[in-house]
């Protein structure tokens, strides 16, 4: 039996649908937060519905077994099905960029609760933990990052989220050396090669905003590491099933060959007719004397209304721009050397993403808004200048 966490999220939902397609869904036990099994199944179906029609999603959600609860509850769970688990795929996390406390409670304490229960699973063969490539911390102009142990607590991070993910990896390695642990670190998961942004517009709104504002805190020859969710979840299945992996830590990333240069990025948006302010983009350096002023001016020109939504979106965009300014990509040669399929380039499925939705940038931002403490109920409320 396979224990999967995070199936109501973006990557976990895609992973579960792969299991439906490859005929192993009935063998999956999904940990889902909810009052009871029916409520959890309904939450799962709602998420899968973003990938398919309602009837298909509901049928897929009926195939698996459900364990209602959160990660923390696993420490004391006496559910006998946990004793039958042979594989764990731990996708669940608090991915909020603003949270200070809950990222530690869920990403570290929750992961350790799962690991504590895993230690008592007599048949466990593999524990696939999903980290993030950005657990390496913030550094100016890193070109190509290779897999290495997550840095210590004092390393600089843009978001407490990535610091907590680094801490989770270190804690797992230190406290549970006997677990059959494999760590997979995705880079930036955006869209789906066939469905575009229907499953989630997470982060895609930001790339559209970048093109709309026409201002970039990196040089055009720089690059970014973006992967689609369907390629990422397929590689998690590969990492789960290949018996003789050469390493215990893998980047699931675009790497050298499939990384996206900003030159290709803006050419892609232009080719698909996206409404941009001006290309080539203007370069700005938020660490320079003008700070964020050039971005703020470009943002106000593109999004003149002073709504709560726009203000929250500006906060989110600033945060993502700090990631952009690192000019970073993550080497994936370990993954490819295992014989797994290479990633597509973002610009090769950008058109599918754009065509899959007629939502505005602001409407797409709502997929990520909870990461920036935005209250959807207040969306329409105007904010005084
Ligand atoms: N998306 C990316 O670009 C990206 C990049 C690198 C790494 N990753 C990693 O990939 C994984 C999935 O990311 P994602 O984008 O798919 O995240 P997501 O859409 O925010 O989904 C998070 C999932 O975790 C579940 N969860 C949160 N707290 C939980 C708890 N205490 N107990 C049980 N389940 C809990 C959520 O359940 P609810 O529905 O109940 O909230 C949801 O199913 C994470 O580990 C993340 O760090 C993601």
């Amino acid at each position: 039996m396979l224990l999967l966490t995070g199936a109501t999220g973006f990557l976990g939902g895609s992973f579960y649908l792969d299991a439906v397609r490859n005929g192993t869904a009935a063998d999956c036990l999904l940990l889902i937060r909810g009052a009871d099994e029916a409520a959890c199944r309904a939450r799962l179906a709602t998420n899968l519905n973003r990938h398919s029609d309602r009837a298909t999603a509901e049928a897929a959600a009926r195939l698996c077994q459900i364990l209602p609860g959160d990660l923390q509850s696993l420490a004391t769970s006496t559910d006998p099905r946990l004793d039958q688990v042979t594989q764990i795929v731990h996708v669940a996390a608090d991915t909020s960029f603003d949270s200070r406390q809950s990222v530690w409670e869920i990403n570290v304490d929750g992961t350790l609760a799962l690991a504590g229960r895993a230690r008592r699973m007599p048949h466990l063969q593999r524990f696939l933990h999903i980290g993030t490539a950005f657990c390496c911390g913030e550094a100016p102009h890193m070109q190509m990052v290779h897999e290495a142990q997550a840095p210590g607590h004092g390393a600089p991070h843009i978001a407490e989220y990535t610091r907590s993910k680094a801490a989770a990896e270190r804690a797992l390695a230190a406290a549970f050396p006997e677990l059959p642990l494999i760590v997979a670190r995705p880079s930036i998961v955006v869209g789906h090669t066939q469905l575009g942004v229907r499953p989630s517009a997470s982060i895609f709104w930001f790339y559209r905003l970048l093109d709309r504002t026409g201002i970039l805190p990196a040089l055009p020859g720089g690059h970014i590491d973006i992967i689609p969710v369907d390629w990422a979840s397929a590689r998690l299945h590969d990492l789960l099933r290949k018996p003789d992996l050469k390493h215990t830590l893998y980047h699931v990333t675009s790497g050298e060959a499939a990384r996206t240069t900003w030159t290709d990025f803006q050419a892609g948006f232009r080719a698909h007719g996206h409404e941009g302010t001006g290309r080539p983009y203007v370069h700005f350096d938020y660490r320079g004397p003008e700070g964020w002023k050039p971005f703020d001016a470009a943002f106000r020109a593109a999004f003149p209304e002073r709504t709560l939504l726009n203000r929250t979106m500006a906060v989110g965009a600033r945060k993502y721009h700090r990631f952009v300014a690192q000019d970073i990509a993550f080497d994936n040669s370990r993954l490819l050397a295992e014989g797994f399929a290479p990633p597509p380039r973002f610009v090769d499925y950008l058109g599918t993403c754009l065509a899959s939705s007629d939502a505005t940038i602001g409407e797409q931002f709502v997929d990520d808004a909870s990461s920036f403490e935005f209250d959807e109920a207040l969306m329409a409320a105007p904010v005084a200048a």
Side-chain angles (χ1 to χ4, degrees):
M1 176 162 293
L2 186 159
L3 174 63
L4 172 65
T5 71
T8 52
F10 183 29
L11 182 56
S14 181
F15 181 92
Y16 176 66
L17 282 172
D18 291 341
V20 171
R21 278 186 286 268
N22 71 24
T24 58
D27 209 28
C28 290
L29 174 63
L30 272 51
L31 177 79
I32 294 182
R33 296 195 280 192
D36 53 29
E37 184 179 324
C40 293
R41 236 178 252 289
R43 293 196 61 225
L44 176 65
T46 298
N47 188 37
L48 303 182
N49 188 206
R50 299 195 66 166
H51 293 252
S52 60
D53 62 78
R54 189 77 210 172
T56 307
E58 282 175 358
R62 279 195 295 271
L63 293 174
C64 60
Q65 298 191 41
I66 301 270
L67 178 59
D70 62 16
L71 288 167
Q72 292 88 330
S73 71
L74 286 174
T76 52
S77 174
T78 53
D79 193 303
R81 292 171 297 179
L82 290 172
D83 296 327
Q84 305 307 316
V85 170
T86 51
Q87 297 160 316
I88 294 174
V89 181
H90 177 33
V91 186
D94 184 336
T95 55
S96 165
F97 271 34
D98 263 359
S99 162
R100 290 271 169 271
Q101 189 61 28
S102 65
V103 288
W104 290 94
E105 290 167 358
I106 294 173
N107 301 345
V108 182
D109 299 346
T111 296
L112 294 184
L114 170 60
R117 187 62 186 82
R119 181 184 261 160
R120 293 182 278 115
M121 292 174 180
H123 308 294
L124 187 66
Q125 291 160 11
R126 186 155 290 180
F127 184 135
L128 184 61
H129 171 77
I130 314 309
T132 170
F134 283 98
C135 74
C136 62
E138 183 180 28
H141 290 95
M142 292 185 280
Q143 289 293 316
M144 184 61 71
V145 177
H146 293 258
E147 287 97 340
Q149 201 189 5
H153 190 77
H157 280 265
I158 296 168
E160 202 66 1
Y161 154 68
T162 55
R163 180 177 281 115
S164 73
K165 295 286 286 186
E169 282 194 26
R170 290 197 314 277
L172 273 179
F176 298 92
E178 75 280 19
L179 285 180
L181 186 68
I182 301 291
V183 176
R185 289 183 187 161
S187 50
I188 306 173
V189 185
V190 178
H192 184 291
T193 58
Q194 307 300 314
L195 303 172
V197 296
R198 272 188 51 205
S200 171
S202 176
I203 313 180
F204 188 68
W205 64 270
F206 169 68
Y207 297 132
R208 287 187 62 200
L209 181 149
L210 199 161
D211 187 63
R212 177 70 60 82
T213 52
I215 187 160
L216 178 72
L219 295 171
H223 51 254
I224 189 158
D225 194 312
I226 302 171
I227 52 170
V229 71
D230 46 325
W231 179 81
S233 65
R235 299 298 72 76
L236 299 187
H237 278 274
D238 287 344
L239 287 169
L240 185 67
R241 292 185 212 295
K242 192 170 182 207
D244 54 344
L245 292 170
K246 292 184 191 61
H247 305 275
T248 54
L249 170 60
Y250 290 85
H251 279 158
V252 178
T253 59
S254 67
E256 178 99 34
R259 64 190 177 177
T260 305
T261 67
W262 294 110
T263 308
D264 288 347
F265 179 96
Q266 50 197 301
F269 273 97
R270 182 195 292 112
H272 292 289
H274 189 248
E275 185 191 337
T277 298
R279 308 181 188 99
Y281 302 153
V282 172
H283 173 70
F284 81 102
D285 181 0
Y286 70 86
R287 298 185 195 89
E290 288 204 289
W292 287 99
K293 278 186 191 158
F295 166 75
D296 292 343
F299 184 89
R300 274 197 302 276
F303 303 95
E305 285 179 36
R306 305 277 287 165
T307 57
L308 180 64
L309 177 81
N310 282 354
R311 289 165 70 110
T312 314
M313 200 161 69
V315 171
R318 276 190 181 200
K319 197 82 131 187
Y320 282 136
H321 266 318
R322 287 181 59 188
F323 283 97
V324 164
Q326 290 179 95
D327 198 14
I328 200 170
F330 303 93
D331 181 70
N332 63 6
S333 29
R334 278 189 183 183
L335 192 77
L336 300 188
E338 295 290 353
F340 303 154
R345 296 182 322 146
F346 176 57
V347 289
D348 293 337
Y349 69 98
L350 169 61
T352 306
C353 289
L354 287 168
S356 64
S357 164
D358 53 13
T360 64
I361 294 172
E363 286 162 356
Q364 290 185 333
F365 167 68
V366 172
D367 267 352
D368 272 343
S370 60
S371 283
F372 303 102
E373 293 192 352
F374 168 71
D375 184 344
E376 218 174 311
L378 299 175
M379 182 165 142
V383 175

